[in-house]
Amino acid sequence: MDLNSDLGEGFGTWRLGDDAAMLGIVSSANVACGFHAGDPRTLLATCERAVSSGVVIGAQVGYRDLAGFGRRFIDYETEDLVADLIYQIGALDGLARAAGDRVLYVKPHGALYNAIVHHEQQAAAVVDAVRRYDPDLPVLGLPGSAFLRLAEDAGLRTVREAFADRGYHPDGTLVSRRLPGALLHDPAEVAERMVRLVTDRTLVAVDGSVIKVEADSICVHGDSPGAVEMARAVHDGLTAAGVRITAFAGAGA
């Protein structure tokens, strides 16, 4: 099982999360690309730390929304969204190559990630951007989403993702951060949920129902309160259950 985290989300002197600690736990790093977070110096340093830690680098592309941290929906024209996404992948790929590696997968961020669960136009735009930049790049997304369906139809490798610290609706979608039950904070509870996910392929939704969740990668958010403790608990819990933590992309995949 792969463990991924959103990293490189500081900006200038403003810092968010403990990237160095997370890079000692996860196998894949979703590195910001400057549109929702991250300045070039921060992103280069994050890529360099990922390379030295043996962690795979992915491009976390998002809306052009620094002030809103990419968590506000933007009604893009298709051509604008495709160009913005290609720009972001290329920029991070350049920094990753300067650090000694390259971008090996793409994951949408925030409001874009949630929109393309159902928004066919934007889902198709993300698929088109990845395909035009490098059709060999895997894409990370929510199981059952329009994005993964369209990506698979286009011949891209799709990777299904679950979220360690997020609540789920009975239909398998994530609870909005604006609603109760959206975020989980207890490392022991989060670890237990993820062991159940990997071994039984089920989770308990916010209404108490048991839902089936198929996942190839687990996200532990780098900006959540207690993020490092939760990530370590998930890592240790899975390892104790006999699960090997390994990246889905790169030489070890």
Side-chain angles (χ1 to χ4, degrees):
M1 175 60 68
D2 175 65
L3 289 184
N4 75 75
S5 187
D6 304 344
L7 303 177
E9 292 184 322
F11 195 89
T13 60
W14 184 73
R15 294 287 178 263
L16 181 66
D18 188 345
D19 287 3
M22 292 297 285
L23 285 168
I25 301 170
V26 300
S27 46
S28 299
N30 318 314
V31 182
C33 298
F35 273 34
H36 81 274
D39 62 274
R41 181 174 175 179
T42 296
L43 301 180
L44 178 58
T46 303
C47 289
E48 289 171 339
R49 291 192 192 101
V51 171
S52 65
S53 302
V55 175
V56 168
I57 298 170
Q60 188 166 40
V61 296
Y63 291 139
R64 188 190 293 267
D65 181 27
L66 275 176
F69 200 65
R71 288 181 176 158
R72 302 179 294 191
F73 175 77
I74 297 178
D75 189 13
Y76 268 85
E77 291 186 9
T78 297
E79 293 78 7
D80 288 335
L81 183 55
V82 170
D84 272 7
L85 298 176
I86 293 173
Y87 185 96
Q88 292 176 72
I89 299 169
L92 190 70
D93 194 32
L95 294 170
R97 288 174 185 270
D101 204 344
R102 60 188 179 89
V103 164
L104 290 173
Y105 67 93
V106 174
K107 173 185 171 178
H109 166 80
L112 177 61
Y113 186 102
N114 291 323
I116 61 178
V117 172
H118 301 296
H119 198 299
E120 298 272 339
Q121 176 231 345
Q122 292 200 358
V126 179
V127 170
D128 188 34
V130 175
R131 182 188 58 78
R132 290 171 66 176
Y133 186 84
D134 183 350
D136 291 329
L137 290 176
V139 293
L140 193 56
L142 198 70
S145 63
F147 173 48
L148 291 193
R149 171 175 52 80
L150 293 174
E152 187 171 356
D153 290 346
L156 300 179
R157 179 186 168 197
T158 57
V159 182
R160 301 164 299 181
E161 182 177 36
F163 290 83
D165 54 356
R166 294 294 303 275
Y168 279 76
H169 289 296
D171 65 356
T173 58
L174 300 178
V175 176
S176 168
R177 288 176 179 267
R178 298 183 180 89
L179 299 176
L183 296 174
L184 306 177
H185 302 289
D186 182 353
E189 176 191 3
V190 167
E192 182 180 351
R193 280 169 62 87
M194 291 303 98
V195 171
R196 175 174 179 167
L197 169 76
V198 175
T199 57
D200 192 48
R201 301 293 180 183
T202 62
L203 285 177
V204 177
V206 288
D207 67 347
S209 62
V210 176
I211 60 174
K212 197 79 170 176
V213 178
E214 299 284 348
D216 311 297
S217 181
I218 294 171
C219 178
V220 283
H221 282 105
D223 65 329
S224 300
V228 174
E229 290 75 14
M230 279 193 285
R232 188 171 291 117
V234 171
H235 182 285
D236 293 349
L238 291 176
T239 301
V243 178
R244 186 168 70 96
I245 306 301
T246 184
F248 62 81

